[in-house]
PDB file of all heavy atoms in Angstrom:
ATOM      1  N   GLY A 193     124.160  95.006  70.574  1.00 94.00           N
ATOM      2  CA  GLY A 193     123.088  94.476  71.414  1.00 94.00           C
ATOM      3  C   GLY A 193     122.904  95.305  72.677  1.00 94.00           C
ATOM      4  O   GLY A 193     121.768  95.607  73.060  1.00 94.00           O
ATOM      5  N   TRP A 194     123.987  95.718  73.297  1.00 94.00           N
ATOM      6  CA  TRP A 194     123.885  96.571  74.489  1.00 94.00           C
ATOM      7  C   TRP A 194     123.233  97.893  74.127  1.00 94.00           C
ATOM      8  O   TRP A 194     122.409  98.417  74.888  1.00 94.00           O
ATOM      9  CB  TRP A 194     125.259  96.805  75.113  1.00 94.00           C
ATOM     10  CG  TRP A 194     125.884  95.572  75.693  1.00 94.00           C
ATOM     11  CD1 TRP A 194     125.243  94.431  76.122  1.00 94.00           C
ATOM     12  CD2 TRP A 194     127.259  95.353  75.919  1.00 94.00           C
ATOM     13  NE1 TRP A 194     126.151  93.523  76.588  1.00 94.00           N
ATOM     14  CE2 TRP A 194     127.399  94.061  76.479  1.00 94.00           C
ATOM     15  CE3 TRP A 194     128.407  96.107  75.688  1.00 94.00           C
ATOM     16  CZ2 TRP A 194     128.634  93.517  76.830  1.00 94.00           C
ATOM     17  CZ3 TRP A 194     129.641  95.564  76.041  1.00 94.00           C
ATOM     18  CH2 TRP A 194     129.755  94.292  76.600  1.00 94.00           C
ATOM     19  N   ALA A 195     123.609  98.434  72.984  1.00 94.00           N
ATOM     20  CA  ALA A 195     123.002  99.699  72.534  1.00 94.00           C
ATOM     21  C   ALA A 195     121.496  99.516  72.334  1.00 94.00           C
ATOM     22  O   ALA A 195     120.695 100.360  72.722  1.00 94.00           O
ATOM     23  CB  ALA A 195     123.656 100.181  71.245  1.00 94.00           C
ATOM     24  N   MET A 196     121.124  98.388  71.737  1.00 94.00           N
ATOM     25  CA  MET A 196     119.700  98.144  71.509  1.00 94.00           C
ATOM     26  C   MET A 196     118.950  97.955  72.817  1.00 94.00           C
ATOM     27  O   MET A 196     117.826  98.436  72.978  1.00 94.00           O
ATOM     28  CB  MET A 196     119.483  96.920  70.609  1.00 94.00           C
ATOM     29  CG  MET A 196     120.086  97.070  69.221  1.00 94.00           C
ATOM     30  SD  MET A 196     119.812  98.668  68.429  1.00 94.00           S
ATOM     31  CE  MET A 196     118.062  98.824  68.520  1.00 94.00           C
ATOM     32  N   ASN A 197     119.557  97.305  73.792  1.00 91.00           N
ATOM     33  CA  ASN A 197     118.928  97.153  75.092  1.00 91.00           C
ATOM     34  C   ASN A 197     118.693  98.500  75.750  1.00 91.00           C
ATOM     35  O   ASN A 197     117.684  98.700  76.442  1.00 91.00           O
ATOM     36  CB  ASN A 197     119.773  96.276  76.019  1.00 91.00           C
ATOM     37  CG  ASN A 197     119.838  94.842  75.550  1.00 91.00           C
ATOM     38  OD1 ASN A 197     119.049  94.397  74.730  1.00 91.00           O
ATOM     39  ND2 ASN A 197     120.809  94.110  76.059  1.00 91.00           N
ATOM     40  N   ALA A 198     119.597  99.439  75.524  1.00 89.00           N
ATOM     41  CA  ALA A 198     119.470 100.784  76.101  1.00 89.00           C
ATOM     42  C   ALA A 198     118.505 101.663  75.309  1.00 89.00           C
ATOM     43  O   ALA A 198     118.130 102.726  75.756  1.00 89.00           O
ATOM     44  CB  ALA A 198     120.845 101.438  76.165  1.00 89.00           C
ATOM     45  N   ALA A 199     118.095 101.215  74.129  1.00 88.00           N
ATOM     46  CA  ALA A 199     117.263 102.029  73.241  1.00 88.00           C
ATOM     47  C   ALA A 199     115.779 101.927  73.500  1.00 88.00           C
ATOM     48  O   ALA A 199     115.001 102.678  72.916  1.00 88.00           O
ATOM     49  CB  ALA A 199     117.534 101.655  71.789  1.00 88.00           C
ATOM     50  N   HIS A 200     115.367 101.038  74.352  1.00 76.00           N
ATOM     51  CA  HIS A 200     113.937 100.776  74.492  1.00 76.00           C
ATOM     52  C   HIS A 200     113.133 101.947  75.041  1.00 76.00           C
ATOM     53  O   HIS A 200     111.933 101.982  74.867  1.00 76.00           O
ATOM     54  CB  HIS A 200     113.699  99.479  75.268  1.00 76.00           C
ATOM     55  CG  HIS A 200     114.207  98.288  74.516  1.00 76.00           C
ATOM     56  ND1 HIS A 200     113.600  97.856  73.360  1.00 76.00           N
ATOM     57  CD2 HIS A 200     115.282  97.516  74.711  1.00 76.00           C
ATOM     58  CE1 HIS A 200     114.279  96.822  72.893  1.00 76.00           C
ATOM     59  NE2 HIS A 200     115.309  96.601  73.673  1.00 76.00           N
ATOM     60  N   GLY A 201     113.777 102.910  75.628  1.00 76.00           N
ATOM     61  CA  GLY A 201     113.074 104.108  76.061  1.00 76.00           C
ATOM     62  C   GLY A 201     113.033 105.193  75.008  1.00 76.00           C
ATOM     63  O   GLY A 201     112.422 106.225  75.184  1.00 76.00           O
ATOM     64  N   LEU A 202     113.680 104.932  73.885  1.00 82.00           N
ATOM     65  CA  LEU A 202     113.748 105.923  72.809  1.00 82.00           C
ATOM     66  C   LEU A 202     112.702 105.593  71.748  1.00 82.00           C
ATOM     67  O   LEU A 202     112.848 104.634  70.992  1.00 82.00           O
ATOM     68  CB  LEU A 202     115.147 105.927  72.174  1.00 82.00           C
ATOM     69  CG  LEU A 202     116.324 106.126  73.149  1.00 82.00           C
ATOM     70  CD1 LEU A 202     117.649 105.926  72.414  1.00 82.00           C
ATOM     71  CD2 LEU A 202     116.258 107.501  73.791  1.00 82.00           C
ATOM     72  N   SER A 203     111.672 106.372  71.673  1.00 86.00           N
ATOM     73  CA  SER A 203     110.551 106.059  70.773  1.00 86.00           C
ATOM     74  C   SER A 203     110.908 106.161  69.291  1.00 86.00           C
ATOM     75  O   SER A 203     110.235 105.565  68.458  1.00 86.00           O
ATOM     76  CB  SER A 203     109.364 106.966  71.087  1.00 86.00           C
ATOM     77  OG  SER A 203     109.720 108.321  70.878  1.00 86.00           O
ATOM     78  N   ASP A 204     111.958 106.888  68.947  1.00 93.00           N
ATOM     79  CA  ASP A 204     112.303 107.055  67.531  1.00 93.00           C
ATOM     80  C   ASP A 204     113.303 106.013  67.026  1.00 93.00           C
ATOM     81  O   ASP A 204     113.749 106.065  65.881  1.00 93.00           O
ATOM     82  CB  ASP A 204     112.835 108.460  67.282  1.00 93.00           C
ATOM     83  CG  ASP A 204     114.125 108.766  68.030  1.00 93.00           C
ATOM     84  OD1 ASP A 204     114.361 108.147  69.090  1.00 93.00           O
ATOM     85  OD2 ASP A 204     114.885 109.642  67.570  1.00 93.00           O
ATOM     86  N   VAL A 205     113.676 105.044  67.864  1.00 96.00           N
ATOM     87  CA  VAL A 205     114.604 103.983  67.460  1.00 96.00           C
ATOM     88  C   VAL A 205     113.814 102.667  67.365  1.00 96.00           C
ATOM     89  O   VAL A 205     113.404 102.125  68.378  1.00 96.00           O
ATOM     90  CB  VAL A 205     115.764 103.837  68.478  1.00 96.00           C
ATOM     91  CG1 VAL A 205     116.694 102.699  68.059  1.00 96.00           C
ATOM     92  CG2 VAL A 205     116.557 105.149  68.584  1.00 96.00           C
ATOM     93  N   PRO A 206     113.601 102.160  66.153  1.00 96.00           N
ATOM     94  CA  PRO A 206     112.819 100.934  65.982  1.00 96.00           C
ATOM     95  C   PRO A 206     113.618  99.667  66.342  1.00 96.00           C
ATOM     96  O   PRO A 206     113.990  98.872  65.465  1.00 96.00           O
ATOM     97  CB  PRO A 206     112.417 100.967  64.511  1.00 96.00           C
ATOM     98  CG  PRO A 206     113.532 101.734  63.852  1.00 96.00           C
ATOM     99  CD  PRO A 206     113.985 102.736  64.867  1.00 96.00           C
ATOM    100  N   ALA A 207     113.869  99.500  67.622  1.00 95.00           N
ATOM    101  CA  ALA A 207     114.709  98.393  68.117  1.00 95.00           C
ATOM    102  C   ALA A 207     114.143  97.022  67.744  1.00 95.00           C
ATOM    103  O   ALA A 207     114.908  96.061  67.644  1.00 95.00           O
ATOM    104  CB  ALA A 207     114.849  98.501  69.627  1.00 95.00           C
ATOM    105  N   HIS A 208     112.850  96.948  67.509  1.00 95.00           N
ATOM    106  CA  HIS A 208     112.246  95.663  67.165  1.00 95.00           C
ATOM    107  C   HIS A 208     112.729  95.140  65.814  1.00 95.00           C
ATOM    108  O   HIS A 208     112.571  93.951  65.521  1.00 95.00           O
ATOM    109  CB  HIS A 208     110.712  95.780  67.153  1.00 95.00           C
ATOM    110  CG  HIS A 208     110.169  96.717  66.137  1.00 95.00           C
ATOM    111  ND1 HIS A 208     110.244  98.097  66.295  1.00 95.00           N
ATOM    112  CD2 HIS A 208     109.554  96.503  64.948  1.00 95.00           C
ATOM    113  CE1 HIS A 208     109.696  98.679  65.227  1.00 95.00           C
ATOM    114  NE2 HIS A 208     109.269  97.729  64.413  1.00 95.00           N
ATOM    115  N   ARG A 209     113.347  95.973  65.005  1.00 97.00           N
ATOM    116  CA  ARG A 209     113.822  95.561  63.686  1.00 97.00           C
ATOM    117  C   ARG A 209     115.230  94.986  63.707  1.00 97.00           C
ATOM    118  O   ARG A 209     115.800  94.669  62.648  1.00 97.00           O
ATOM    119  CB  ARG A 209     113.770  96.746  62.721  1.00 97.00           C
ATOM    120  CG  ARG A 209     112.360  97.244  62.492  1.00 97.00           C
ATOM    121  CD  ARG A 209     112.344  98.379  61.493  1.00 97.00           C
ATOM    122  NE  ARG A 209     111.008  98.960  61.447  1.00 97.00           N
ATOM    123  CZ  ARG A 209     110.772 100.245  61.228  1.00 97.00           C
ATOM    124  NH1 ARG A 209     111.767 101.077  61.002  1.00 97.00           N
ATOM    125  NH2 ARG A 209     109.520 100.686  61.233  1.00 97.00           N
ATOM    126  N   VAL A 210     115.814  94.798  64.890  1.00 97.00           N
ATOM    127  CA  VAL A 210     117.171  94.241  65.004  1.00 97.00           C
ATOM    128  C   VAL A 210     117.077  92.886  65.687  1.00 97.00           C
ATOM    129  O   VAL A 210     116.566  92.781  66.807  1.00 97.00           O
ATOM    130  CB  VAL A 210     118.099  95.198  65.784  1.00 97.00           C
ATOM    131  CG1 VAL A 210     119.522  94.642  65.802  1.00 97.00           C
ATOM    132  CG2 VAL A 210     118.081  96.592  65.151  1.00 97.00           C
ATOM    133  N   VAL A 211     117.574  91.875  64.992  1.00 97.00           N
ATOM    134  CA  VAL A 211     117.503  90.486  65.479  1.00 97.00           C
ATOM    135  C   VAL A 211     118.909  89.864  65.383  1.00 97.00           C
ATOM    136  O   VAL A 211     119.835  90.498  64.889  1.00 97.00           O
ATOM    137  CB  VAL A 211     116.477  89.668  64.640  1.00 97.00           C
ATOM    138  CG1 VAL A 211     115.085  90.233  64.816  1.00 97.00           C
ATOM    139  CG2 VAL A 211     116.855  89.635  63.168  1.00 97.00           C
ATOM    140  N   ASN A 212     119.030  88.621  65.797  1.00 97.00           N
ATOM    141  CA  ASN A 212     120.351  87.999  65.699  1.00 97.00           C
ATOM    142  C   ASN A 212     120.607  87.522  64.259  1.00 97.00           C
ATOM    143  O   ASN A 212     119.751  87.652  63.400  1.00 97.00           O
ATOM    144  CB  ASN A 212     120.567  86.920  66.754  1.00 97.00           C
ATOM    145  CG  ASN A 212     119.890  85.605  66.454  1.00 97.00           C
ATOM    146  OD1 ASN A 212     119.311  85.390  65.398  1.00 97.00           O
ATOM    147  ND2 ASN A 212     119.972  84.690  67.399  1.00 97.00           N
ATOM    148  N   ARG A 213     121.766  86.964  64.043  1.00 96.00           N
ATOM    149  CA  ARG A 213     122.212  86.649  62.669  1.00 96.00           C
ATOM    150  C   ARG A 213     121.410  85.578  61.960  1.00 96.00           C
ATOM    151  O   ARG A 213     121.523  85.417  60.748  1.00 96.00           O
ATOM    152  CB  ARG A 213     123.698  86.285  62.668  1.00 96.00           C
ATOM    153  CG  ARG A 213     124.015  85.024  63.434  1.00 96.00           C
ATOM    154  CD  ARG A 213     125.523  84.783  63.483  1.00 96.00           C
ATOM    155  NE  ARG A 213     125.823  83.667  64.330  1.00 96.00           N
ATOM    156  CZ  ARG A 213     125.805  82.405  63.943  1.00 96.00           C
ATOM    157  NH1 ARG A 213     125.500  82.110  62.695  1.00 96.00           N
ATOM    158  NH2 ARG A 213     126.100  81.441  64.791  1.00 96.00           N
ATOM    159  N   ILE A 214     120.598  84.838  62.704  1.00 97.00           N
ATOM    160  CA  ILE A 214     119.762  83.815  62.065  1.00 97.00           C
ATOM    161  C   ILE A 214     118.266  84.161  62.146  1.00 97.00           C
ATOM    162  O   ILE A 214     117.421  83.321  61.875  1.00 97.00           O
ATOM    163  CB  ILE A 214     120.037  82.400  62.626  1.00 97.00           C
ATOM    164  CG1 ILE A 214     119.809  82.329  64.123  1.00 97.00           C
ATOM    165  CG2 ILE A 214     121.443  81.949  62.250  1.00 97.00           C
ATOM    166  CD1 ILE A 214     119.880  80.925  64.704  1.00 97.00           C
ATOM    167  N   GLY A 215     117.977  85.404  62.551  1.00 97.00           N
ATOM    168  CA  GLY A 215     116.600  85.857  62.543  1.00 97.00           C
ATOM    169  C   GLY A 215     115.816  85.587  63.801  1.00 97.00           C
ATOM    170  O   GLY A 215     114.588  85.716  63.808  1.00 97.00           O
ATOM    171  N   VAL A 216     116.493  85.255  64.882  1.00 97.00           N
ATOM    172  CA  VAL A 216     115.808  84.985  66.148  1.00 97.00           C
ATOM    173  C   VAL A 216     115.619  86.305  66.907  1.00 97.00           C
ATOM    174  O   VAL A 216     116.504  87.164  66.921  1.00 97.00           O
ATOM    175  CB  VAL A 216     116.600  83.976  67.005  1.00 97.00           C
ATOM    176  CG1 VAL A 216     115.998  83.833  68.398  1.00 97.00           C
ATOM    177  CG2 VAL A 216     116.653  82.640  66.307  1.00 97.00           C
ATOM    178  N   LEU A 217     114.442  86.454  67.537  1.00 97.00           N
ATOM    179  CA  LEU A 217     114.133  87.650  68.315  1.00 97.00           C
ATOM    180  C   LEU A 217     114.848  87.605  69.656  1.00 97.00           C
ATOM    181  O   LEU A 217     114.251  87.523  70.725  1.00 97.00           O
ATOM    182  CB  LEU A 217     112.618  87.759  68.526  1.00 97.00           C
ATOM    183  CG  LEU A 217     111.714  87.610  67.313  1.00 97.00           C
ATOM    184  CD1 LEU A 217     110.273  87.903  67.698  1.00 97.00           C
ATOM    185  CD2 LEU A 217     112.148  88.466  66.158  1.00 97.00           C
ATOM    186  N   SER A 218     116.149  87.682  69.616  1.00 94.00           N
ATOM    187  CA  SER A 218     116.974  87.493  70.814  1.00 94.00           C
ATOM    188  C   SER A 218     116.822  88.649  71.795  1.00 94.00           C
ATOM    189  O   SER A 218     117.116  88.486  72.978  1.00 94.00           O
ATOM    190  CB  SER A 218     118.439  87.303  70.436  1.00 94.00           C
ATOM    191  OG  SER A 218     118.871  88.368  69.614  1.00 94.00           O
ATOM    192  N   GLY A 219     116.348  89.790  71.362  1.00 91.00           N
ATOM    193  CA  GLY A 219     116.182  90.931  72.261  1.00 91.00           C
ATOM    194  C   GLY A 219     114.781  91.096  72.808  1.00 91.00           C
ATOM    195  O   GLY A 219     114.481  92.073  73.480  1.00 91.00           O
ATOM    196  N   LYS A 220     113.912  90.121  72.581  1.00 93.00           N
ATOM    197  CA  LYS A 220     112.499  90.274  72.945  1.00 93.00           C
ATOM    198  C   LYS A 220     112.256  90.486  74.429  1.00 93.00           C
ATOM    199  O   LYS A 220     111.292  91.142  74.806  1.00 93.00           O
ATOM    200  CB  LYS A 220     111.692  89.085  72.439  1.00 93.00           C
ATOM    201  CG  LYS A 220     111.848  87.823  73.248  1.00 93.00           C
ATOM    202  CD  LYS A 220     110.924  86.753  72.738  1.00 93.00           C
ATOM    203  CE  LYS A 220     110.698  85.719  73.823  1.00 93.00           C
ATOM    204  NZ  LYS A 220     109.526  84.928  73.581  1.00 93.00           N
ATOM    205  N   ASN A 221     113.113  89.990  75.276  1.00 90.00           N
ATOM    206  CA  ASN A 221     112.921  90.124  76.720  1.00 90.00           C
ATOM    207  C   ASN A 221     113.229  91.526  77.235  1.00 90.00           C
ATOM    208  O   ASN A 221     112.972  91.825  78.392  1.00 90.00           O
ATOM    209  CB  ASN A 221     113.741  89.088  77.476  1.00 90.00           C
ATOM    210  CG  ASN A 221     113.245  87.696  77.219  1.00 90.00           C
ATOM    211  OD1 ASN A 221     112.047  87.481  77.083  1.00 90.00           O
ATOM    212  ND2 ASN A 221     114.155  86.739  77.127  1.00 90.00           N
ATOM    213  N   HIS A 222     113.753  92.383  76.384  1.00 89.00           N
ATOM    214  CA  HIS A 222     114.065  93.747  76.782  1.00 89.00           C
ATOM    215  C   HIS A 222     112.935  94.725  76.456  1.00 89.00           C
ATOM    216  O   HIS A 222     113.041  95.908  76.710  1.00 89.00           O
ATOM    217  CB  HIS A 222     115.382  94.190  76.139  1.00 89.00           C
ATOM    218  CG  HIS A 222     116.539  93.365  76.593  1.00 89.00           C
ATOM    219  ND1 HIS A 222     117.135  93.528  77.825  1.00 89.00           N
ATOM    220  CD2 HIS A 222     117.176  92.329  75.999  1.00 89.00           C
ATOM    221  CE1 HIS A 222     118.109  92.649  77.963  1.00 89.00           C
ATOM    222  NE2 HIS A 222     118.150  91.900  76.869  1.00 89.00           N
ATOM    223  N   PHE A 223     111.851  94.207  75.873  1.00 90.00           N
ATOM    224  CA  PHE A 223     110.685  95.027  75.599  1.00 90.00           C
ATOM    225  C   PHE A 223     109.751  94.977  76.809  1.00 90.00           C
ATOM    226  O   PHE A 223     109.916  94.152  77.700  1.00 90.00           O
ATOM    227  CB  PHE A 223     109.978  94.529  74.327  1.00 90.00           C
ATOM    228  CG  PHE A 223     110.698  94.898  73.071  1.00 90.00           C
ATOM    229  CD1 PHE A 223     111.763  94.124  72.618  1.00 90.00           C
ATOM    230  CD2 PHE A 223     110.348  96.013  72.334  1.00 90.00           C
ATOM    231  CE1 PHE A 223     112.449  94.469  71.482  1.00 90.00           C
ATOM    232  CE2 PHE A 223     111.017  96.359  71.187  1.00 90.00           C
ATOM    233  CZ  PHE A 223     112.076  95.587  70.746  1.00 90.00           C
ATOM    234  N   SER A 224     108.746  95.843  76.825  1.00 90.00           N
ATOM    235  CA  SER A 224     107.864  95.938  77.991  1.00 90.00           C
ATOM    236  C   SER A 224     107.033  94.682  78.213  1.00 90.00           C
ATOM    237  O   SER A 224     106.588  94.430  79.335  1.00 90.00           O
ATOM    238  CB  SER A 224     106.963  97.159  77.877  1.00 90.00           C
ATOM    239  OG  SER A 224     106.164  97.092  76.714  1.00 90.00           O
ATOM    240  N   SER A 225     106.814  93.900  77.168  1.00 92.00           N
ATOM    241  CA  SER A 225     106.156  92.599  77.333  1.00 92.00           C
ATOM    242  C   SER A 225     106.874  91.589  76.428  1.00 92.00           C
ATOM    243  O   SER A 225     107.468  91.985  75.422  1.00 92.00           O
ATOM    244  CB  SER A 225     104.670  92.676  76.974  1.00 92.00           C
ATOM    245  OG  SER A 225     104.484  92.682  75.578  1.00 92.00           O
ATOM    246  N   PRO A 226     106.817  90.301  76.750  1.00 89.00           N
ATOM    247  CA  PRO A 226     107.525  89.296  75.945  1.00 89.00           C
ATOM    248  C   PRO A 226     107.055  89.186  74.503  1.00 89.00           C
ATOM    249  O   PRO A 226     107.807  88.723  73.663  1.00 89.00           O
ATOM    250  CB  PRO A 226     107.247  87.976  76.689  1.00 89.00           C
ATOM    251  CG  PRO A 226     106.742  88.351  78.024  1.00 89.00           C
ATOM    252  CD  PRO A 226     106.158  89.713  77.921  1.00 89.00           C
ATOM    253  N   ASN A 227     105.860  89.661  74.215  1.00 95.00           N
ATOM    254  CA  ASN A 227     105.321  89.552  72.849  1.00 95.00           C
ATOM    255  C   ASN A 227     105.422  90.854  72.054  1.00 95.00           C
ATOM    256  O   ASN A 227     105.100  90.866  70.867  1.00 95.00           O
ATOM    257  CB  ASN A 227     103.859  89.113  72.896  1.00 95.00           C
ATOM    258  CG  ASN A 227     103.720  87.744  73.503  1.00 95.00           C
ATOM    259  OD1 ASN A 227     104.524  86.858  73.264  1.00 95.00           O
ATOM    260  ND2 ASN A 227     102.690  87.568  74.319  1.00 95.00           N
ATOM    261  N   GLU A 228     105.863  91.923  72.675  1.00 95.00           N
ATOM    262  CA  GLU A 228     105.859  93.231  72.009  1.00 95.00           C
ATOM    263  C   GLU A 228     106.708  93.257  70.734  1.00 95.00           C
ATOM    264  O   GLU A 228     106.285  93.777  69.713  1.00 95.00           O
ATOM    265  CB  GLU A 228     106.316  94.333  72.954  1.00 95.00           C
ATOM    266  CG  GLU A 228     106.276  95.704  72.298  1.00 95.00           C
ATOM    267  CD  GLU A 228     106.733  96.839  73.206  1.00 95.00           C
ATOM    268  OE1 GLU A 228     106.990  96.618  74.401  1.00 95.00           O
ATOM    269  OE2 GLU A 228     106.846  97.947  72.676  1.00 95.00           O
TER     270      GLU A 228
END
């Protein structure tokens, strides 16, 4: 999760495809907008 939080500036890492174990968008607040 920490790695994914640090990945948001890396355009070649599709961080949006990583979610928590039950499918919740737990990392959504680390994107540039809450809906991204």
Side-chain angles (χ1 to χ4, degrees):
W194 293 338
M196 298 317 306
N197 293 343
H200 294 291
L202 306 173
S203 61
D204 63 334
V205 178
H208 63 285
R209 297 182 189 147
V210 183
V211 297
N212 78 6
R213 64 185 174 85
I214 58 172
V216 172
L217 310 187
S218 54
K220 76 175 202 161
N221 293 324
H222 298 282
F223 285 83
S224 59
S225 77
N227 297 321
E228 182 181 354

